[in-house]
């Protein structure tokens, strides 16, 4: 977990790790691939959920995930497993604009785990969720951490303590 106050650089670091921002110094290697020199190979190993998921409100949940699967060149047969894992089966035909913040977050998380990448990067995954949704998302993150490297950021100490085995404090 990345722990630090707002403005410490947690999101910036994650954006550099995923290749959305270029680093001014240093190098990011993902499974041996330089994120700037081999972006496609590096990004194929990463699932990313930004703090505000980039969702298309006029699409249904299923349409959006099919679209993301196509962009990631992932077989569409994974959708059923991802929908079940994120508890979105009953929401698959609903427009994203009509979902609560918690369900929108789940859609973003579903997009991040499509293809079951080795590394899953989650930026403030539980911000703005109600207590029940926080518990469900934490449980899902713990489940994913059994088979994947999960990196998450938060400015809330109890959040990082509840989920993470290792913590990096950014000041």
């Amino acid at each position: 977990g990345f722990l630090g106050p707002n403005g410490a650089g947690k999101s910036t670091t994650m954006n550099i790790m995923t290749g959305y921002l270029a680093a001014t110094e240093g190098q990011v290697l993902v499974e041996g691939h330089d994120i700037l020199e081999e972006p496609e190979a590096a990004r194929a190993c990463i699932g990313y959920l930004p703090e505000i998921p980039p969702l298309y409100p006029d699409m249904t949940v299923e349409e959006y995930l099919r679209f993301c699967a196509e962009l990631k060149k992932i077989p569409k047969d994974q959708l059923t497993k991802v929908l079940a894992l994120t508890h979105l089966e009953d929401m698959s035909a609903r427009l994203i604009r009509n979902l609560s913040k918690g369900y929108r977050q789940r859609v973003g998380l579903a997009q991040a785990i499509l293809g079951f990448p080795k590394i899953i990067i989650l930026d403030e995954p539980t911000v703005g969720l109600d207590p029940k949704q926080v518990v469900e998302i934490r449980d899902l993150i713990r489940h994913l951490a059994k088979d994947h490297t999960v990196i998450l950021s938060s400015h809330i100490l109890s959040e990082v303590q509840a989920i993470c085995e290792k913590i990096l404090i950014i000041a």
Side-chain angles (χ1 to χ4, degrees):
F2 282 156
L3 176 66
N6 290 329
K10 299 179 302 292
S11 295
T12 300
T13 301
M14 291 181 149
N15 280 315
I16 290 170
M17 291 169 60
T18 57
Y20 289 100
L21 284 177
T24 53
E25 288 184 41
Q27 182 183 37
V28 175
L29 296 175
V30 180
E31 291 289 311
H33 304 284
D34 186 299
I35 195 74
L36 295 178
E37 293 177 12
E38 301 175 86
E40 281 191 40
R43 284 190 184 132
C45 302
I46 298 172
Y48 179 47
L49 173 65
E51 187 174 354
I52 301 169
L55 305 174
Y56 293 104
D58 293 331
M59 288 182 159
T60 67
V61 171
E62 186 172 347
E63 287 170 340
Y64 175 73
L65 293 176
R66 283 187 186 281
F67 172 70
C68 292
E70 193 172 313
L71 287 176
K72 293 181 176 188
K73 300 174 184 155
I74 295 165
K76 291 181 178 96
D77 62 354
Q78 282 191 12
L79 287 181
T80 304
K81 186 174 180 182
V82 169
L83 287 168
L85 196 58
T86 54
H87 303 291
L88 286 168
E89 306 99 326
D90 294 341
M91 300 291 162
S92 65
R94 291 188 64 183
L95 288 175
I96 291 172
R97 87 167 107 227
N98 296 330
L99 299 177
S100 68
K101 175 158 176 53
Y103 276 108
R104 287 181 191 202
Q105 196 73 353
R106 284 177 195 261
V107 173
L109 189 53
Q111 167 277 136
I113 64 175
L114 274 172
F116 299 97
K118 291 182 179 185
I119 302 165
I120 300 170
I121 299 175
L122 309 172
D123 193 359
E124 304 270 1
T126 61
V127 166
L129 302 183
D130 67 45
K132 182 180 181 229
Q133 292 169 330
V134 169
V135 170
E136 290 171 350
I137 295 295
R138 284 180 182 173
D139 288 344
L140 177 56
I141 292 169
R142 277 190 214 96
H143 175 76
L144 292 169
K146 291 176 185 174
D147 299 313
H148 308 270
T149 298
V150 179
I151 301 170
L152 68 90
S153 72
S154 181
H155 60 277
I156 303 167
L157 176 59
S158 60
E159 179 74 14
V160 174
Q161 278 182 313
I163 302 172
C164 301
E165 293 176 9
K166 297 179 183 177
I167 300 171
L168 175 71
I169 297 174
I170 299 179

